[in-house]
Amino acid sequence: MKFPNINFDTLKNEGTSSVTPQERRKFLKLGLAVAGVYAGGKVLSLTSLVGTAHASGGANIVEKFPYNPHYSMVIRQSLCIDCEKCVEACNKTNHVPEYGYRTRILTKKYSGSLDKQVEFIPVLCNHCNDAPCVRACPTRATYKDPVTGIVRMDSKKCIGCKTCMLACPYDARYFSAERHAVDKCDFCWEERLSKGETQTGCSAACPTGARTFGNLTDPDNIVYKLVHQLEEQVWVLRPADDTKPNIFYMKGNMRSVDNILNEQKFKYYDPNKA
Amino acid sequence: MTGRMVNISKKWGFHGVEALKNASPLYKMTMAIFALLALAGAAVGLHGMITGYHHVYGVTREISWGLLISAYIFCVVTSTGLCIISSIGHVFGGEAYMPIAKRAVFMSIMFMFGGFCIIFFDIENPFRMAIWNVISPNFVSNMWWMGTLYGMYLVFMIIEYYFLLDQNHTLSRLMGFFGLVVGIAAHSNLGAVFGMLHGRPFWYGPYLPIYFIFSAAMSGGCAILFFTTLGWRINPEIMNQRMERAIKAITQVTIFLISVIIFFTIWKIITGMVSEGKHLVIMSFLTGDYAINFWVFEIFLGMVLPLYLLIRSRGNNFNLILWATGLMMIGIFFMRYDIVIPGQMESVYHSLGVEEAKDMLTYTPSFHEIMASLFGIGFIGLAYFAGEKMLNGHQLEKHEIVPDGGYICPGCGAIHFMEEGETEDDAMKRHHRIW
């Protein structure tokens, strides 16, 4: 096979003037897409279609999320001080019996680290896009809300086989004798969101802003901003189970995150000092 | 149906309540113990249902399937196994296996009912199940398929048993075939109830559905040997040359199936030791909390001892077979327990390294759970002992009481009935035609 003999040294520079703006935009887009996949892809791909939506940018995102409003929570782990106000608020709002809980705060201890010895990790139902509990339920007593994506319970259909409790990789379910059904977090849909509130009981009660709740399809929303930044790592719990959870975790103590959010008013953010 | 007006007691071998009255005092006492066990179990179970299971059961939020599910699985595994082993004879035409069919199918049905008795006290709202399983089915849920397929299986087995009694071999064979297909589907699906929970690494994967089928066949072989040799102790007359041949054949197949399960268990342990998600559980089998369950009950009583004793028995020492399979039934129960409980021992947050999930979770069956399980076991025991007497040891009728119009089939040894104007030859062809 013969190769055409091109001498690059003698080729004339065509200049940038011959590249159309369309072509240039396409090239830049490609670069962004590649960077997006490498930098943020690990987490963003966990939400259906968010990877492609992120790379193509703009208004497409809203249409490409599976739900709208797509409720989601970002937990900024470093801000959690284990005051348990969220657990109290949850128990009170949702009438959770003494023997059960819908959310709890786990403690992780470190030794040998210089900055801190302990870390608190709030956990709750992850409202997975591919929820194992929804597949496991024999009577469709638990289901993905087709509008909001919240994993909800239709208590009257629950036969109490407890398969969903074992299917859940986040231990988010318990059997409530009062309801005669399995009970779980519903992002306070029944007690708050359906009555016009915008925050869940736990996120409203959180004094530090560790729990931030919002709509993932709204580019102005705090959870959207926290998830769609590349500077600080965002992760989910038990990613290997591939359930596409909607509870995102991050340390949340970096300046860069504050900068992105400087329009947003936080409880811990004092605009006078900034 | 012309020319077939035969006394049902003769044709079905049904000896009625009279047979129970004539039983020995010891026999009556044994039955009374099982009856009391079943009644006490039902009473305690109902008490638990009224007071609320979360007050009286040992199951928790994390370990939500306990002793009751283990006992349920023990029952349905044995039921499916009895169906599989008996089908070798009366569905696939293995001559040697034919004489055990009636007892095997009868016990298969009773084990299924026993399993349903037990799970009745595990499901929190069993009455809702009947409604919502029908009007709001989830076709991708293994649990839904489990209820549906086992329900169908039970129906097929009951119809099959009726035709077996009625000596309609064509239809019993057809129903037996459907029962087997649905039974295999139901049972491997039960394995998938566990095997498709991908948040539980100890269960997840295709291993359990496959293991459940082989394990069921082993349990079935064990159970039919146990119940037949026990029937022989009750009434030695049930043993004849054909039955001895059947026992020998089933002993051989059971030895083979125990070997298969040993092979399965070895690879479960070895592969589990290198898996991050399974390592802790496997180590608790080998050296931890479950070491006695595993080594003494599952391995020694469930596999090694019966393997040795069954080989020693050469298939014709019935006392030895009775002991081997009796101990094996206990071992098999622990095998089921060791699937259900350890799969939940490791908290889902263990890998996160948090304080709350550092230790393995523990579970101890409560009094109520033990009694509710005994409800099912008592029912099965009672049904067995009642069946041995009332159905005359599940025998095919003997020569001297061949009723009018009937004759001893030279092929299968059972009594066949001739239609009007039919020769023996035609009748045999009719009885043994496949479709």
Side-chain angles (χ1 to χ4, degrees):
Chain A
M1 192 177 176
K2 266 193 174 177
F3 291 98
N5 192 9
I6 303 172
N7 192 346
F8 286 100
D9 294 336
T10 57
L11 278 178
K12 231 175 157 186
N13 187 353
E14 289 177 358
T16 47
S17 55
S18 62
V19 180
T20 62
Q22 281 81 9
E23 245 175 285
R24 190 191 320 221
R25 208 167 296 155
K26 231 164 127 191
F27 178 77
L28 286 174
K29 252 187 191 173
L30 178 71
L32 282 175
V34 172
V37 168
Y38 272 90
K42 188 181 155 205
V43 165
L44 296 172
S45 63
L46 296 171
T47 311
S48 291
L49 299 172
V50 72
T52 41
H54 183 61
S56 57
N60 293 341
I61 290 173
V62 182
E63 295 158 16
K64 285 192 175 176
F65 272 101
Y67 305 100
N68 190 9
H70 190 118
Y71 287 121
S72 166
M73 193 178 277
V74 179
I75 290 174
R76 287 180 288 169
Q77 226 167 265
S78 292
L79 305 185
C80 179
I81 54 170
D82 196 22
C83 64
E84 304 245 336
K85 285 216 161 82
C86 52
V87 180
E88 271 168 41
C90 173
N91 291 350
K92 213 176 144 197
T93 313
N94 299 300
H95 317 292
V96 178
E98 234 173 81
Y99 54 85
Y101 54 83
R102 287 181 174 198
T103 181
R104 71 193 288 210
I105 298 175
L106 302 172
T107 313
K108 192 172 181 180
K109 286 185 178 158
Y110 296 89
S111 58
S113 53
L114 295 177
D115 49 352
K116 56 181 178 182
Q117 273 79 49
V118 66
E119 203 168 29
F120 303 109
I121 309 170
V123 290
L124 66 157
C125 171
N126 278 246
H127 297 278
C128 314
N129 288 357
D130 284 346
C133 52
V134 171
R135 186 197 65 80
C137 179
T139 55
R140 289 188 284 173
T142 191
Y143 60 98
K144 276 296 265 185
D145 190 302
V147 179
T148 59
I150 295 175
V151 177
R152 292 179 58 199
M153 280 297 299
D154 192 349
S155 292
K156 69 174 187 296
K157 289 185 185 175
C158 178
I159 64 170
C161 67
K162 300 174 187 170
T163 317
C164 57
M165 289 162 63
L166 288 169
C168 176
Y170 301 101
D171 186 26
R173 295 170 159 264
Y174 70 98
F175 190 84
S176 163
E178 286 74 15
R179 291 170 194 257
H180 299 288
V182 167
D183 186 35
K184 65 176 291 297
C185 162
D186 62 348
F187 272 158
C188 287
W189 178 262
E190 268 164 43
E191 299 298 333
R192 291 175 68 101
L193 295 192
S194 63
K195 294 172 183 169
E197 303 247 15
T198 55
Q199 288 293 305
T200 62
C202 57
S203 64
C206 182
T208 65
R211 289 179 187 248
T212 48
F213 175 80
N215 176 3
L216 204 50
T217 56
D218 174 11
D220 293 328
N221 196 286
I222 176 168
V223 293
Y224 177 93
K225 289 180 178 177
L226 287 174
V227 169
H228 294 79
Q229 46 81 30
L230 298 180
E231 199 58 33
E232 197 179 337
Q233 200 190 347
V234 180
W235 66 90
V236 294
L237 297 181
R238 293 178 67 102
D241 293 334
D242 200 24
T243 58
K244 298 185 174 60
N246 283 309
I247 307 293
F248 299 95
Y249 288 80
M250 64 196 295
K251 297 281 180 186
N253 54 1
M254 268 174 68
R255 198 74 205 150
S256 62
V257 173
D258 292 357
N259 290 341
I260 296 167
L261 299 170
N262 60 7
E263 295 295 319
Q264 200 91 25
K265 284 215 165 71
F266 290 127
K267 283 163 190 156
Y268 80 108
Y269 174 76
D270 185 354
N272 300 327
K273 283 185 188 169
Chain B
M1 287 294 160
T2 47
R4 279 220 249 168
M5 296 297 291
V6 188
N7 185 350
I8 269 189
S9 78
K10 292 264 172 66
K11 192 177 180 188
W12 285 10
F14 181 70
H15 283 220
V17 189
E18 279 304 307
L20 287 181
K21 283 183 187 157
N22 298 333
S24 71
L26 183 70
Y27 197 87
K28 282 178 187 159
M29 206 135 80
T30 318
M31 281 189 61
I33 290 170
F34 278 109
L36 276 178
L37 215 57
L39 281 177
V44 174
L46 283 173
H47 173 258
M49 187 182 242
I50 292 159
T51 48
Y53 292 140
H54 74 285
H55 293 299
V56 293
Y57 281 0
V59 287
T60 58
R61 174 186 182 121
E62 288 94 359
I63 298 194
S64 38
W65 284 349
L67 178 70
L68 289 173
I69 294 286
S70 314
Y72 165 74
I73 286 173
F74 171 75
C75 289
V76 298
V77 167
T78 311
S79 173
T80 318
L82 285 165
C83 167
I84 293 172
I85 295 293
S86 71
S87 71
I88 302 175
H90 72 275
V91 175
F92 297 112
E95 275 278 339
Y97 295 85
M98 280 178 180
I100 51 104
K102 275 171 88 177
R103 183 181 279 101
V105 175
F106 174 75
M107 285 314 289
S108 171
I109 294 167
M110 291 309 145
F111 265 98
M112 208 61 226
F113 276 122
F116 285 152
C117 287
I118 295 169
I119 207 163
F120 176 80
F121 285 121
D122 183 78
I123 299 261
E124 300 270 355
N125 307 310
F127 301 109
R128 280 186 197 167
M129 187 168 72
I131 305 164
W132 294 106
N133 260 16
V134 178
I135 60 175
S136 178
N138 183 6
F139 296 116
V140 292
S141 161
N142 297 103
M143 209 62 182
W144 185 84
W145 281 106
M146 191 192 83
T148 309
L149 289 170
Y150 271 129
M152 283 166 67
Y153 168 74
L154 188 60
V155 170
F156 279 126
M157 292 308 273
I158 289 172
I159 299 174
E160 179 194 359
Y161 188 62
Y162 168 77
F163 285 127
L164 269 181
L165 285 178
D166 209 44
Q167 294 183 21
N168 187 335
H169 291 299
T170 311
L171 284 180
S172 80
R173 193 170 202 172
L174 183 64
M175 286 301 138
F177 177 72
F178 288 146
L180 179 70
V181 170
V182 176
I184 298 264
H187 198 61
S188 51
N189 172 69
L190 178 63
V193 166
F194 296 93
M196 286 182 72
L197 299 180
H198 51 52
R200 306 277 170 176
F202 182 69
W203 290 336
Y204 178 68
Y207 174 84
L208 278 181
I210 301 166
Y211 171 85
F212 264 44
I213 293 300
F214 281 97
S215 182
M218 180 189 76
S219 303
C222 166
I224 193 61
L225 285 177
F226 178 70
F227 289 120
T228 310
T229 48
L230 192 61
W232 166 72
R233 289 294 289 267
I234 293 165
N235 179 8
E237 282 182 26
I238 65 160
M239 212 51 85
N240 51 39
Q241 277 194 341
R242 297 185 66 244
M243 197 56 118
E244 283 172 18
R245 191 165 61 128
I247 296 282
K248 195 158 187 142
I250 294 164
T251 307
Q252 284 167 349
V253 80
T254 308
I255 290 171
F256 165 70
L257 287 164
I258 296 173
S259 316
V260 171
I261 292 300
I262 290 177
F263 168 80
F264 266 77
T265 309
I266 289 173
W267 281 111
K268 176 176 82 181
I269 297 295
I270 294 178
T271 55
M273 280 167 84
V274 297
S275 153
E276 196 193 353
K278 296 180 183 175
H279 183 258
L280 275 175
V281 180
I282 296 295
M283 288 323 279
S284 83
F285 279 149
L286 299 180
T287 57
D289 293 349
Y290 283 79
I292 292 177
N293 270 12
F294 182 70
W295 290 113
V296 178
F297 288 103
E298 188 171 340
I299 298 293
F300 183 70
L301 278 192
M303 297 175 200
V304 178
L305 185 68
L307 187 67
Y308 172 73
L309 290 181
L310 287 180
I311 292 172
R312 274 296 298 272
S313 77
R314 291 170 182 276
N316 46 34
N317 184 344
F318 301 139
N319 278 317
L320 204 57
I321 293 177
L322 179 63
W323 275 102
T325 50
L327 293 172
M328 190 174 163
M329 294 286 272
I330 299 170
I332 289 173
F333 180 82
F334 279 87
M335 253 180 238
R336 310 299 165 235
Y337 189 82
D338 287 353
I339 291 171
V340 176
I341 314 296
Q344 308 163 66
M345 273 194 328
E346 191 180 327
S347 164
V348 289
Y349 288 120
H350 183 85
S351 53
L352 199 59
V354 291
E355 293 295 303
E356 286 82 353
K358 233 161 71 178
D359 302 318
M360 297 296 256
L361 302 162
T362 55
Y363 164 77
T364 320
S366 73
F367 169 72
H368 277 77
E369 283 173 303
I370 293 168
M371 288 310 287
S373 306
L374 287 177
F375 169 43
I377 305 292
F379 169 80
I380 293 166
L382 184 65
Y384 171 74
F385 283 107
E388 283 297 320
K389 286 287 176 199
M390 290 167 75
L391 296 160
N392 193 27
H394 305 276
Q395 295 182 76
L396 301 165
E397 289 299 332
K398 284 203 229 43
H399 293 217
E400 50 272 25
I401 46 168
V402 176
D404 293 340
Y407 71 97
I408 308 280
C409 172
C412 72
I415 297 173
H416 288 170
F417 292 90
M418 286 176 282
E419 304 273 3
E420 236 173 303
E422 206 178 30
T423 64
E424 273 193 18
D425 217 35
D426 291 336
M428 196 183 83
K429 276 184 190 155
R430 178 167 54 80
H431 277 288
H432 288 283
R433 198 179 55 219
I434 299 177
W435 314 124

